[in-house]
Amino acid sequence: MPRDRAALGAFLRSRRDRLTPSQAGIEAFPGARRVPGLRREELAVLAGLSPDYYSRLEQGRQANISAEVLDALARALRLDEVEHAHLRDLAAPTARRRTATSHAVQRPDPGLLRLMRTLDHVPVLLLGHRGVVLARNALLAEVLGRPLEPGASFVRFMFQDPVARERIVNWADFASATVATMRREIARRPYDKRLAALMDELRATDGDVARWWDDHAVRDYASVTKRVQHPAAGPMSFDIEIVCAPHEPDQRLVVYTTEPDSPTARVLPILASWNPAPHP
């Protein structure tokens, strides 16, 4: 089975397993149940499909899938917008899913760079696809305790640098969101071999990544509260906000916002004074 069709089947099974008949609003079909989630036949009825057709979908034996079928499955499985988009990407025809090569050099968007320079009073990070650092300001490096120079992998920092687990108090929340984001990106960029290799490596070497990957959770970059324990400044709290440029959908400006006059807001100028030179 092609890798993309295997991913489609696995995603459908994972969403079917998490939804019980009562949650789906139907009476459970008679007979012994091996799992609490929906049976294939139950989901097929909910989506208005024949059981044989749905079985072919889940087994990766159905080449072409219409938008109407995908919408029906999304409604039956109660997918949110990100999950629905993920389903469409997994089901897209192979020829249409061929994208730019994974070796193209990523260049930071000038508009996002200008915006980053106006936000030098808070930590800011510009990420490209695969979670590659394209730029960051000095406060970001000070808060997270690593230089994170352009070209570094923020994903590797999260999972392979012990400083990430030491400084980010709610590391598990943030790290699981990172895995879900990378799964979403793989569906959008199925021919990015470097991205697939990165996640295969992390799954093989990190039990947390493997466990979260097997959950099949997906998300786009979204606001996440991050709590940091700084060795000198003490506890800090940030609400992470994401800014995207319409013409550069693979780039995201990650802004660490603070509540006005909060302890974190008051200590940031002190941290900035330790390293006042802006990052080029």
Short mmCIF file of all heavy atoms in Angstrom, two decimals, residues 26-66:
data_model
loop_
_atom_site.label_atom_id
_atom_site.label_comp_id
_atom_site.label_asym_id
_atom_site.label_seq_id
_atom_site.Cartn_x
_atom_site.Cartn_y
_atom_site.Cartn_z
N ILE A 26 -26.11 7.17 17.26
CA ILE A 26 -26.77 6.00 16.67
C ILE A 26 -26.83 4.88 17.70
O ILE A 26 -26.09 4.88 18.68
CB ILE A 26 -26.05 5.51 15.40
CG1 ILE A 26 -24.65 5.03 15.75
CG2 ILE A 26 -26.01 6.59 14.34
CD1 ILE A 26 -23.94 4.30 14.61
N GLU A 27 -27.71 3.93 17.45
CA GLU A 27 -27.76 2.71 18.25
C GLU A 27 -26.64 1.78 17.79
O GLU A 27 -26.41 1.61 16.58
CB GLU A 27 -29.11 2.01 18.08
CG GLU A 27 -30.27 2.76 18.71
CD GLU A 27 -30.23 2.72 20.22
OE1 GLU A 27 -29.64 1.74 20.77
OE2 GLU A 27 -30.76 3.65 20.86
N ALA A 28 -25.96 1.20 18.75
CA ALA A 28 -24.88 0.28 18.40
C ALA A 28 -25.44 -0.94 17.67
O ALA A 28 -26.50 -1.46 18.03
CB ALA A 28 -24.14 -0.17 19.66
N PHE A 29 -24.75 -1.37 16.64
CA PHE A 29 -25.16 -2.58 15.93
C PHE A 29 -25.05 -3.77 16.89
O PHE A 29 -24.18 -3.79 17.76
CB PHE A 29 -24.27 -2.82 14.71
CG PHE A 29 -24.57 -1.89 13.55
CD1 PHE A 29 -25.35 -0.76 13.71
CD2 PHE A 29 -24.07 -2.18 12.29
CE1 PHE A 29 -25.63 0.08 12.65
CE2 PHE A 29 -24.33 -1.33 11.22
CZ PHE A 29 -25.12 -0.20 11.40
N PRO A 30 -25.91 -4.77 16.75
CA PRO A 30 -25.86 -5.92 17.66
C PRO A 30 -24.59 -6.74 17.45
O PRO A 30 -23.96 -6.68 16.41
CB PRO A 30 -27.11 -6.72 17.26
CG PRO A 30 -27.40 -6.31 15.86
CD PRO A 30 -27.00 -4.89 15.76
N GLY A 31 -24.24 -7.51 18.48
CA GLY A 31 -23.07 -8.37 18.41
C GLY A 31 -21.97 -7.90 19.34
O GLY A 31 -21.97 -6.76 19.81
N ALA A 32 -21.06 -8.82 19.63
CA ALA A 32 -19.93 -8.51 20.52
C ALA A 32 -19.04 -7.44 19.90
O ALA A 32 -18.83 -7.41 18.68
CB ALA A 32 -19.11 -9.77 20.79
N ARG A 33 -18.54 -6.53 20.76
CA ARG A 33 -17.68 -5.44 20.29
C ARG A 33 -16.27 -5.67 20.82
O ARG A 33 -16.07 -5.87 22.01
CB ARG A 33 -18.19 -4.07 20.76
CG ARG A 33 -19.63 -3.79 20.41
CD ARG A 33 -20.00 -2.36 20.77
NE ARG A 33 -19.40 -1.41 19.86
CZ ARG A 33 -19.95 -1.09 18.68
NH1 ARG A 33 -21.10 -1.63 18.30
NH2 ARG A 33 -19.37 -0.21 17.89
N ARG A 34 -15.30 -5.58 19.92
CA ARG A 34 -13.90 -5.73 20.33
C ARG A 34 -13.28 -4.39 20.72
O ARG A 34 -12.28 -4.35 21.43
CB ARG A 34 -13.09 -6.37 19.20
CG ARG A 34 -13.46 -7.84 18.95
CD ARG A 34 -12.64 -8.42 17.82
NE ARG A 34 -13.00 -7.81 16.53
CZ ARG A 34 -12.44 -8.11 15.37
NH1 ARG A 34 -11.45 -9.00 15.35
NH2 ARG A 34 -12.84 -7.55 14.26
N VAL A 35 -13.86 -3.31 20.24
CA VAL A 35 -13.33 -1.97 20.55
C VAL A 35 -14.51 -1.08 20.91
O VAL A 35 -15.65 -1.32 20.47
CB VAL A 35 -12.56 -1.37 19.37
CG1 VAL A 35 -11.27 -2.16 19.11
CG2 VAL A 35 -13.41 -1.32 18.12
N PRO A 36 -14.29 -0.02 21.71
CA PRO A 36 -15.40 0.86 22.10
C PRO A 36 -15.86 1.77 20.97
O PRO A 36 -16.98 2.29 21.01
CB PRO A 36 -14.82 1.67 23.26
CG PRO A 36 -13.34 1.67 23.02
CD PRO A 36 -13.03 0.34 22.40
N GLY A 37 -15.02 2.01 19.99
CA GLY A 37 -15.35 2.95 18.93
C GLY A 37 -16.33 2.37 17.92
O GLY A 37 -16.85 1.26 18.07
N LEU A 38 -16.56 3.15 16.88
CA LEU A 38 -17.48 2.72 15.82
C LEU A 38 -16.91 1.54 15.03
O LEU A 38 -15.71 1.47 14.78
CB LEU A 38 -17.73 3.88 14.85
CG LEU A 38 -18.54 5.08 15.35
CD1 LEU A 38 -18.54 6.17 14.30
CD2 LEU A 38 -19.96 4.67 15.71
N ARG A 39 -17.80 0.66 14.64
CA ARG A 39 -17.42 -0.36 13.67
C ARG A 39 -17.40 0.26 12.27
O ARG A 39 -17.99 1.30 12.03
CB ARG A 39 -18.43 -1.51 13.70
CG ARG A 39 -18.44 -2.32 14.98
CD ARG A 39 -19.58 -3.31 14.96
NE ARG A 39 -19.55 -4.20 16.10
CZ ARG A 39 -20.52 -5.06 16.41
NH1 ARG A 39 -21.61 -5.12 15.65
NH2 ARG A 39 -20.40 -5.84 17.46
N ARG A 40 -16.71 -0.43 11.38
CA ARG A 40 -16.68 0.06 10.00
C ARG A 40 -18.09 0.19 9.43
O ARG A 40 -18.42 1.17 8.75
CB ARG A 40 -15.87 -0.91 9.11
CG ARG A 40 -14.38 -0.87 9.32
CD ARG A 40 -13.71 -1.85 8.37
NE ARG A 40 -12.27 -1.88 8.54
CZ ARG A 40 -11.46 -2.71 7.92
NH1 ARG A 40 -11.96 -3.60 7.08
NH2 ARG A 40 -10.16 -2.66 8.12
N GLU A 41 -18.93 -0.82 9.69
CA GLU A 41 -20.28 -0.80 9.14
C GLU A 41 -21.09 0.37 9.70
O GLU A 41 -21.89 0.98 8.98
CB GLU A 41 -20.99 -2.12 9.45
CG GLU A 41 -20.34 -3.35 8.81
CD GLU A 41 -19.14 -3.86 9.60
OE1 GLU A 41 -18.85 -3.29 10.69
OE2 GLU A 41 -18.49 -4.80 9.13
N GLU A 42 -20.89 0.67 10.98
CA GLU A 42 -21.61 1.78 11.59
C GLU A 42 -21.19 3.11 10.98
O GLU A 42 -22.04 3.96 10.69
CB GLU A 42 -21.37 1.77 13.10
CG GLU A 42 -22.02 0.59 13.81
CD GLU A 42 -21.54 0.42 15.23
OE1 GLU A 42 -20.43 0.90 15.56
OE2 GLU A 42 -22.26 -0.21 16.04
N LEU A 43 -19.89 3.29 10.78
CA LEU A 43 -19.43 4.53 10.17
C LEU A 43 -19.91 4.63 8.73
O LEU A 43 -20.31 5.72 8.28
CB LEU A 43 -17.90 4.60 10.21
CG LEU A 43 -17.28 5.83 9.53
CD1 LEU A 43 -17.87 7.12 10.08
CD2 LEU A 43 -15.77 5.82 9.71
N ALA A 44 -19.93 3.52 8.01
CA ALA A 44 -20.40 3.55 6.62
C ALA A 44 -21.85 4.02 6.56
O ALA A 44 -22.21 4.86 5.72
CB ALA A 44 -20.26 2.16 6.00
N VAL A 45 -22.68 3.51 7.45
CA VAL A 45 -24.09 3.92 7.48
C VAL A 45 -24.20 5.41 7.81
O VAL A 45 -24.97 6.15 7.19
CB VAL A 45 -24.88 3.06 8.49
CG1 VAL A 45 -26.26 3.65 8.73
CG2 VAL A 45 -24.99 1.64 7.99
N LEU A 46 -23.44 5.85 8.81
CA LEU A 46 -23.47 7.26 9.19
C LEU A 46 -23.08 8.17 8.04
O LEU A 46 -23.66 9.25 7.86
CB LEU A 46 -22.50 7.50 10.35
CG LEU A 46 -23.02 7.32 11.77
CD1 LEU A 46 -21.87 7.43 12.76
CD2 LEU A 46 -24.08 8.38 12.08
N ALA A 47 -22.11 7.73 7.24
CA ALA A 47 -21.62 8.56 6.14
C ALA A 47 -22.38 8.35 4.84
O ALA A 47 -22.10 9.02 3.84
CB ALA A 47 -20.13 8.29 5.91
N GLY A 48 -23.34 7.42 4.85
CA GLY A 48 -24.11 7.15 3.63
C GLY A 48 -23.33 6.39 2.59
O GLY A 48 -23.53 6.56 1.38
N LEU A 49 -22.40 5.53 3.03
CA LEU A 49 -21.57 4.74 2.13
C LEU A 49 -21.87 3.26 2.30
O LEU A 49 -22.40 2.84 3.34
CB LEU A 49 -20.08 4.98 2.41
CG LEU A 49 -19.59 6.42 2.45
CD1 LEU A 49 -18.13 6.46 2.90
CD2 LEU A 49 -19.75 7.07 1.08
N SER A 50 -21.53 2.47 1.31
CA SER A 50 -21.66 1.03 1.47
C SER A 50 -20.50 0.53 2.33
O SER A 50 -19.39 1.07 2.27
CB SER A 50 -21.62 0.32 0.12
OG SER A 50 -20.32 0.33 -0.41
N PRO A 51 -20.73 -0.49 3.15
CA PRO A 51 -19.63 -1.03 3.97
C PRO A 51 -18.44 -1.46 3.14
O PRO A 51 -17.29 -1.28 3.55
CB PRO A 51 -20.28 -2.21 4.70
CG PRO A 51 -21.73 -1.84 4.79
CD PRO A 51 -22.03 -1.14 3.50
N ASP A 52 -18.70 -2.03 1.95
CA ASP A 52 -17.58 -2.48 1.11
C ASP A 52 -16.75 -1.29 0.63
O ASP A 52 -15.52 -1.34 0.63
CB ASP A 52 -18.11 -3.26 -0.09
CG ASP A 52 -16.99 -3.70 -1.02
OD1 ASP A 52 -16.17 -4.54 -0.59
OD2 ASP A 52 -16.92 -3.20 -2.15
N TYR A 53 -17.43 -0.20 0.24
CA TYR A 53 -16.70 0.98 -0.23
C TYR A 53 -15.87 1.57 0.89
O TYR A 53 -14.69 1.92 0.70
CB TYR A 53 -17.68 2.03 -0.77
CG TYR A 53 -17.00 3.28 -1.29
CD1 TYR A 53 -16.53 3.33 -2.60
CD2 TYR A 53 -16.83 4.39 -0.47
CE1 TYR A 53 -15.89 4.48 -3.08
CE2 TYR A 53 -16.19 5.54 -0.95
CZ TYR A 53 -15.74 5.58 -2.25
OH TYR A 53 -15.10 6.69 -2.71
N TYR A 54 -16.46 1.68 2.10
CA TYR A 54 -15.69 2.24 3.20
C TYR A 54 -14.50 1.34 3.55
O TYR A 54 -13.40 1.84 3.85
CB TYR A 54 -16.54 2.46 4.45
CG TYR A 54 -15.68 2.98 5.57
CD1 TYR A 54 -15.27 4.31 5.58
CD2 TYR A 54 -15.21 2.13 6.57
CE1 TYR A 54 -14.41 4.77 6.56
CE2 TYR A 54 -14.36 2.60 7.56
CZ TYR A 54 -13.96 3.90 7.55
OH TYR A 54 -13.10 4.36 8.51
N SER A 55 -14.68 0.03 3.50
CA SER A 55 -13.57 -0.88 3.78
C SER A 55 -12.43 -0.65 2.81
O SER A 55 -11.25 -0.68 3.19
CB SER A 55 -14.04 -2.34 3.72
OG SER A 55 -14.93 -2.63 4.77
N ARG A 56 -12.75 -0.43 1.54
CA ARG A 56 -11.70 -0.16 0.56
C ARG A 56 -10.96 1.13 0.89
O ARG A 56 -9.75 1.22 0.72
CB ARG A 56 -12.29 -0.07 -0.86
CG ARG A 56 -12.84 -1.38 -1.38
CD ARG A 56 -12.93 -1.40 -2.90
NE ARG A 56 -13.70 -0.29 -3.44
CZ ARG A 56 -15.00 -0.28 -3.61
NH1 ARG A 56 -15.72 -1.34 -3.25
NH2 ARG A 56 -15.63 0.77 -4.14
N LEU A 57 -11.71 2.14 1.38
CA LEU A 57 -11.06 3.39 1.78
C LEU A 57 -10.05 3.15 2.91
O LEU A 57 -8.90 3.58 2.84
CB LEU A 57 -12.10 4.40 2.26
CG LEU A 57 -13.01 5.06 1.24
CD1 LEU A 57 -13.95 6.03 1.95
CD2 LEU A 57 -12.20 5.80 0.19
N GLU A 58 -10.51 2.46 3.94
CA GLU A 58 -9.67 2.27 5.12
C GLU A 58 -8.49 1.35 4.84
O GLU A 58 -7.45 1.45 5.48
CB GLU A 58 -10.51 1.74 6.28
CG GLU A 58 -9.87 1.96 7.63
CD GLU A 58 -10.80 1.69 8.78
OE1 GLU A 58 -11.67 2.55 9.07
OE2 GLU A 58 -10.67 0.61 9.40
N GLN A 59 -8.65 0.45 3.88
CA GLN A 59 -7.58 -0.48 3.53
C GLN A 59 -6.66 0.06 2.44
O GLN A 59 -5.72 -0.62 2.03
CB GLN A 59 -8.18 -1.82 3.10
CG GLN A 59 -8.90 -2.55 4.21
CD GLN A 59 -9.75 -3.69 3.71
OE1 GLN A 59 -9.76 -3.99 2.52
NE2 GLN A 59 -10.47 -4.35 4.62
N GLY A 60 -6.93 1.29 1.98
CA GLY A 60 -6.08 1.89 0.97
C GLY A 60 -6.27 1.33 -0.41
O GLY A 60 -5.37 1.43 -1.26
N ARG A 61 -7.44 0.76 -0.71
CA ARG A 61 -7.68 0.13 -2.01
C ARG A 61 -8.57 0.98 -2.91
O ARG A 61 -8.94 0.53 -3.99
CB ARG A 61 -8.31 -1.25 -1.81
CG ARG A 61 -7.42 -2.23 -1.09
CD ARG A 61 -8.00 -3.64 -1.06
NE ARG A 61 -9.17 -3.73 -0.20
CZ ARG A 61 -10.41 -3.98 -0.64
NH1 ARG A 61 -10.64 -4.12 -1.93
NH2 ARG A 61 -11.41 -4.05 0.22
N GLN A 62 -8.89 2.20 -2.47
CA GLN A 62 -9.73 3.08 -3.28
C GLN A 62 -8.88 4.22 -3.80
O GLN A 62 -8.41 5.06 -3.04
CB GLN A 62 -10.89 3.62 -2.44
CG GLN A 62 -11.86 4.51 -3.20
CD GLN A 62 -12.59 3.77 -4.30
OE1 GLN A 62 -12.94 2.59 -4.15
NE2 GLN A 62 -12.82 4.43 -5.42
N ALA A 63 -8.67 4.25 -5.11
CA ALA A 63 -7.73 5.23 -5.69
C ALA A 63 -8.28 6.65 -5.62
O ALA A 63 -7.61 7.57 -5.15
CB ALA A 63 -7.40 4.85 -7.13
N ASN A 64 -9.49 6.84 -6.10
CA ASN A 64 -10.07 8.19 -6.18
C ASN A 64 -11.21 8.33 -5.19
O ASN A 64 -12.07 7.46 -5.09
CB ASN A 64 -10.57 8.46 -7.60
CG ASN A 64 -9.44 8.43 -8.62
OD1 ASN A 64 -8.39 9.00 -8.40
ND2 ASN A 64 -9.66 7.72 -9.73
N ILE A 65 -11.20 9.45 -4.48
CA ILE A 65 -12.21 9.70 -3.45
C ILE A 65 -12.77 11.09 -3.68
O ILE A 65 -12.03 12.07 -3.75
CB ILE A 65 -11.60 9.60 -2.04
CG1 ILE A 65 -10.79 8.31 -1.88
CG2 ILE A 65 -12.68 9.69 -0.98
CD1 ILE A 65 -9.93 8.28 -0.64
N SER A 66 -14.07 11.18 -3.80
CA SER A 66 -14.69 12.47 -4.12
C SER A 66 -14.73 13.37 -2.91
O SER A 66 -14.68 12.92 -1.75
CB SER A 66 -16.11 12.25 -4.65
OG SER A 66 -16.96 11.83 -3.60
#
